[in-house]
Amino acid sequence: METRVTTDEDFDENNSDNQTGASMQAGRTQVARAALSQREKQDVAALFQSGRLAEIVERANSLTARYPTDAYGWSVLSAALLHQGRNDQALVPLRRALDLSPGDAGLHGNLGLAFLHLGRLDEAMVSLQRALAINPAATSSRNTLANALAAAGRLEEAADAYQASLAVSPDQSRTLYNLGNTLLALGRPEEAVVRYRAALALTPDYPFALVNYGVALAALERPAEAEDCARRALRLDPALGEAQILLTNTLLLRGYTGAALAVVEASLDLGERPEMRRLFVACLRGLPLPPGGSVRRGRILTALAEPWGRSAEVAAAVAPMLEADTVIGGCVQRTLAAWPKRLDAATLYGPTGFAAVTGDALLLALLDASPIAAPGLERFFTLARSCLLEAALGVTTAAPDADGTERETAYYAALARQCRINEYVFDLTADEADKAARLTARLSQALAQDQPVPAVWVLAVAAFGPLHAVPQAQRLLKRAWPEPVALVLTQQLLRHAEEQRLRGRIVQLTPIDDVVSRLVRRQYEENPYPRWVRPAPVGEPAPLAAQLRERFPRAHLAGLPDSPRLDVLIAGCGTGQHSLETARVFHGANVLAVDLSLTSLCYARRKTRELGVANIEYAQADLLRLGELGRSFDLVESSGVLHHLADPAAGWRSLVPLVRPGGVMRIGLYSRLARRGITKVRDMIAARGLDGSAAAIRSFRQELLDMPWEPSWGRYLLGDFFSVSGCRDLLFHVQEHCLSLLEIKAFCLENGLAVLGVEVDPPVLAAYRTRFPNDAAATNLSNWHAFEEDNPDTFIAMYQFWVQKTG
């Protein structure tokens, strides 16, 4: 939840800081004093009281023309322009007024306010300090200075400035509110609660104070009281987005996911907001099966297609909806009843099913979004692909128009794109492999001889293997195709060609000569991971300190980097999904993203160029040798990487010197306890001597899917199981280590790293704090170790935590 610092109404043309409506400075001529009557000033004041700003500007322009050496007209003009939000235009009359009346504290204060609104913070603070030097009791200028300090990230100084203003005038609800915001941003929610409560005592109908009071209460694990604050704020302002966000978050914290979804949808009905889109996805994740309804289904379709979260997160909610659908669920049931037998189209789809399936927009969007992490749907699409192959074999170049309807083409094209996304992980029989090879040869021959090519040939071949591997495939780009087919060609030919062109443009920063590093590089050259489709949306970029304070409001955060530029190292960036999120979420981020795999880096760079992100430098390097670069960073991230080294501790130790004093690291490591089931599966693979080839992965996956359920495997909980590269990374990796939190704690103590926070879902954090109420910041790794022993699936994906370099 972002806090809000209000700066509107911090100036007033007749306030105690601004003397332009009262006495004038001695520099004014006697003629001007006589000419500018008190009646004219009263007329201007009346216009301000009635809010007639356009007339004031007109009157002020007349005054400055008639009395150019009188500061009053210039002051009135600047005040009106400030009220209109025309801060840039207000600078000239403000400076003219100050030339004529340099000792006017109010004018200096208003100049500081204009600079603040323009983002010129240093100039704002200079002007405001001049105002306070003239009039130390000027509370408006002191409050505006505090706002400028807060905007500059100088939060401790801002808090002191608000306190100084309250010492002069205690009954300022706005200043109490802003002080509460600052204390909350400093990770001191207990103190913030006191200030919000005082602000509300003065102004009970202050909706923003109610909202941020609720945010502070939520940070203190008091969600019921936070929910009450949100509802009170909404009674005052039913359209207040911040209150809707607070209410949704508190309902989710309390486990009322259905009620939270209702709040989100009511807000989205009024207009889509980025934060409510994110919360819509969070609500979907919390429901085993989202309720039906055409409006909701349409919204889910939009969330999946745009997307409103990571595609895999939305897809995880969509899959059970489709399996519960009468038509698609029927196809799935017929598939599972016959498996592994292949069914013809009439049997698979039923009497009317094919038309309904091909017309389901949500199904097509799911095929395009991410690997489908649902065993039933996967097997249905495996049989659907077999039907596509049979249909293609029945079409000849003599009748290329027998491709089917536009909807059928769109459906089969989406299926082909899904097969590329999951890297052809579907089960493949020897008969299908033979038929696909024969169709591929037929397609290649037709292209070589410049014969007609049915679209269904292209789609079927693309569903069984990448088109770029087909001889003569580039000739497909010279022909006209329906849009769905063209999208397949873009995915499998044009994007591949672009990545190949990029191979010569990625700089190699270090040699890669470590034996294990070479093995890992080979794996990711063959299977770049993850093969993601669309990036998750991010909000407005914020400084590192603000991001950490929002994530870990109870953590002790001091000495964090505060430069406008944030130098970031991503050590092991893979295909760039995480690098892009980091580059877009942190204000001033300048990212160096390195990886062993050139293929992965080319994928990352292509996606980065497509999104127009310019603050990432990609390079090939071994993180073990990054110290040779002579560079240092404010933030170093290495998630899911160190445990694939020969010695994870040695790899992590090599990164620590790259972090500047006070800088932070975000580290992701496998949990030995959480991956106990996966370790058993890896032992099975090793005992059989299986390699990491696509054929071995496809075959072994089907065995696992048919085995009796063993909850500790967690295989369905991990989307990686549903693509070749993901499954290889999950189960067939050439090198893997798992650790415990006690081992991580010992490493941090030995290397001068202080734990800032552990990333877990809010219900997990609430359960931890219930058990360990004395660890308010939730950073005691010994406590977390005990918690994990009792809740062994807590870190099923990975330990993700932040540490700060203290030395």
Side-chain angles (χ1 to χ4, degrees), residues 313-569:
E313 295 177 345
V314 188
V318 171
M321 289 181 61
L322 293 175
E323 289 180 323
D325 179 82
T326 302
V327 174
I328 297 169
C331 294
V332 171
Q333 291 306 312
R334 286 188 289 274
T335 296
L336 297 179
W339 188 265
K341 178 184 176 183
R342 282 7 184 194
L343 300 177
D344 60 57
T347 305
L348 176 63
Y349 293 104
T352 60
F354 188 63
V357 168
T358 59
D360 193 313
L362 190 57
L363 178 69
L364 267 62
L366 178 65
L367 287 167
D368 259 331
S370 71
I372 295 173
L377 281 175
E378 177 186 313
R379 288 187 163 174
F380 161 56
F381 287 125
T382 301
L383 268 59
R385 182 178 69 164
S386 181
C387 292
L388 166 60
L389 180 59
E390 294 297 333
L393 288 169
V395 176
T396 68
T397 57
D401 296 330
D403 284 330
T405 67
E406 291 183 7
R407 287 196 347 189
E408 291 172 14
T409 299
Y411 169 62
Y412 282 138
L415 178 57
R417 293 194 295 273
Q418 167 62 207
C419 292
R420 180 56 183 151
I421 290 169
N422 67 41
E423 300 153 309
Y424 309 99
V425 78
F426 291 168
D427 182 49
L428 180 68
T429 67
D431 181 59
E432 287 171 335
D434 178 65
K435 289 178 178 178
R438 285 192 280 118
L439 182 63
T440 301
R442 192 185 301 178
L443 170 63
S444 181
Q445 182 180 13
L447 289 170
Q449 297 175 358
D450 203 24
Q451 294 176 347
V453 173
V456 70
W457 284 12
V458 178
L459 300 181
V461 170
F464 282 87
L467 286 176
H468 66 76
V470 176
Q472 309 295 330
Q474 291 299 319
R475 294 192 175 193
L476 291 168
L477 299 172
K478 299 179 180 179
R479 304 189 182 200
W481 298 101
E483 182 180 359
V485 181
L487 290 174
V488 173
L489 299 181
T490 297
Q491 178 202 45
Q492 300 200 17
L493 293 178
L494 293 178
R495 289 175 181 165
H496 173 77
E498 182 179 354
E499 290 171 23
Q500 293 302 109
R501 286 194 296 271
L502 290 172
R503 293 186 73 86
R505 303 178 188 179
I506 302 290
V507 176
Q508 183 171 351
L509 295 180
T510 73
I512 302 172
D513 46 21
D514 178 79
V515 174
V516 171
S517 294
R518 285 177 174 271
L519 289 172
V520 173
R521 178 181 63 176
R522 178 180 175 181
Q523 172 174 328
Y524 291 123
E525 293 291 355
E526 295 170 353
N527 294 109
Y529 167 82
R531 193 176 289 276
W532 56 282
V533 180
R534 300 184 184 98
V538 296
E540 288 296 316
L544 173 65
Q547 294 275 5
L548 288 174
R549 288 187 179 100
E550 185 173 351
R551 293 185 193 208
F552 309 114
R554 311 284 293 276
H556 176 69
L557 301 173
L560 292 169
D562 60 0
S563 170
R565 174 187 169 110
L566 184 77
D567 290 319
V568 181
L569 169 67

Side-chain angles (χ1 to χ4, degrees), residues 136-410:
T139 57
S140 177
S141 291
R142 195 170 297 281
N143 289 335
T144 307
L145 175 60
N147 290 341
L149 289 165
R154 296 161 61 178
L155 298 179
E156 292 286 0
E157 295 173 75
D160 290 343
Y162 288 128
Q163 295 277 27
S165 176
L166 289 166
V168 175
S169 178
D171 295 338
Q172 300 180 73
S173 59
R174 183 185 303 278
T175 305
L176 285 163
Y177 165 71
N178 283 345
L179 176 57
N181 291 344
T182 305
L183 293 169
L184 187 57
L186 283 167
R188 292 148 63 181
E190 299 92 341
E191 298 174 60
V193 160
V194 174
R195 272 56 177 208
Y196 291 133
R197 193 180 296 128
L200 289 165
L202 294 168
T203 312
D205 59 347
Y206 196 163
F208 284 117
L210 277 166
V211 169
N212 285 357
Y213 182 29
V215 173
L217 290 168
L220 294 170
E221 285 85 54
R222 294 158 65 180
E225 295 171 78
E227 179 185 339
D228 179 66
C229 288
R231 294 192 183 280
R232 288 166 58 193
L234 286 170
R235 285 195 289 271
L236 293 169
D237 185 353
L240 184 59
E242 287 81 357
Q244 294 165 347
I245 292 169
L246 174 62
L247 179 57
T248 304
N249 280 323
T250 55
L251 289 170
L252 287 173
L253 280 171
R254 302 185 71 192
Y256 303 142
T257 308
L261 181 60
V263 174
V264 171
E265 291 190 313
S267 175
L268 291 171
D269 287 341
L270 299 175
E272 292 184 356
R273 297 162 51 98
E275 181 64 12
M276 298 312 288
R277 294 175 182 177
R278 184 192 67 77
L279 287 171
F280 180 76
V281 175
C283 291
L284 292 182
R285 289 201 310 268
L287 292 171
L289 185 64
S294 59
V295 173
R296 180 174 289 122
R297 186 180 174 92
R299 194 162 274 150
I300 291 173
L301 174 60
T302 304
L304 187 61
E306 288 191 358
W308 288 1
R310 278 197 171 183
S311 299
E313 295 177 345
V314 188
V318 171
M321 289 181 61
L322 293 175
E323 289 180 323
D325 179 82
T326 302
V327 174
I328 297 169
C331 294
V332 171
Q333 291 306 312
R334 286 188 289 274
T335 296
L336 297 179
W339 188 265
K341 178 184 176 183
R342 282 7 184 194
L343 300 177
D344 60 57
T347 305
L348 176 63
Y349 293 104
T352 60
F354 188 63
V357 168
T358 59
D360 193 313
L362 190 57
L363 178 69
L364 267 62
L366 178 65
L367 287 167
D368 259 331
S370 71
I372 295 173
L377 281 175
E378 177 186 313
R379 288 187 163 174
F380 161 56
F381 287 125
T382 301
L383 268 59
R385 182 178 69 164
S386 181
C387 292
L388 166 60
L389 180 59
E390 294 297 333
L393 288 169
V395 176
T396 68
T397 57
D401 296 330
D403 284 330
T405 67
E406 291 183 7
R407 287 196 347 189
E408 291 172 14
T409 299

Side-chain angles (χ1 to χ4, degrees), residues 580-716:
L580 276 161
E581 291 175 3
T582 296
R584 294 185 298 155
V585 79
F586 291 112
H587 181 73
N590 182 66
V591 179
L592 171 63
V594 303
D595 200 82
L596 294 168
S597 164
L598 187 58
T599 303
S600 298
L601 288 164
C602 291
Y603 191 99
R605 188 166 180 184
R606 173 179 65 79
K607 299 292 273 185
T608 301
R609 290 174 58 168
E610 288 174 359
L611 292 167
V613 175
N615 60 332
I616 306 179
E617 172 194 357
Y618 289 105
Q620 189 177 27
D622 189 338
L623 69 80
L624 293 170
R625 301 188 62 165
L626 288 175
E628 300 171 11
L629 302 182
R631 295 176 63 173
S632 61
F633 303 88
D634 304 300
L635 169 62
V636 172
E637 299 195 21
S638 188
S639 181
V641 177
L642 297 174
H643 46 234
H644 293 314
L645 302 178
D647 182 351
W652 190 359
R653 199 174 295 113
S654 72
L655 294 177
V656 172
L658 307 182
V659 184
R660 294 167 183 160
V664 298
M665 307 182 82
R666 181 175 184 254
I667 302 296
L669 294 165
Y670 284 153
S671 160
R672 182 177 296 117
L673 185 57
R675 290 177 71 87
R676 64 201 181 282
I678 293 171
T679 300
K680 291 181 183 178
V681 178
R682 287 177 58 84
D683 290 343
M684 291 167 55
I685 293 169
R688 297 191 192 185
L690 299 178
D691 60 18
S693 67
I697 289 171
R698 277 196 297 266
S699 176
F700 186 71
R701 285 182 73 255
Q702 296 306 317
E703 287 188 55
L704 286 180
L705 288 170
D706 290 333
M707 287 181 184
W709 170 257
E710 184 176 335
S712 68
W713 286 356
R715 63 183 186 271
Y716 299 146

Side-chain angles (χ1 to χ4, degrees), residues 36-57:
L36 185 55
S37 68
Q38 191 64 31
R39 176 60 181 271
E40 287 178 299
K41 296 179 183 179
Q42 291 172 349
D43 289 345
V44 169
L47 291 173
F48 267 112
Q49 290 173 357
S50 60
R52 293 151 65 183
L53 297 177
E55 293 180 52
I56 297 171
V57 171

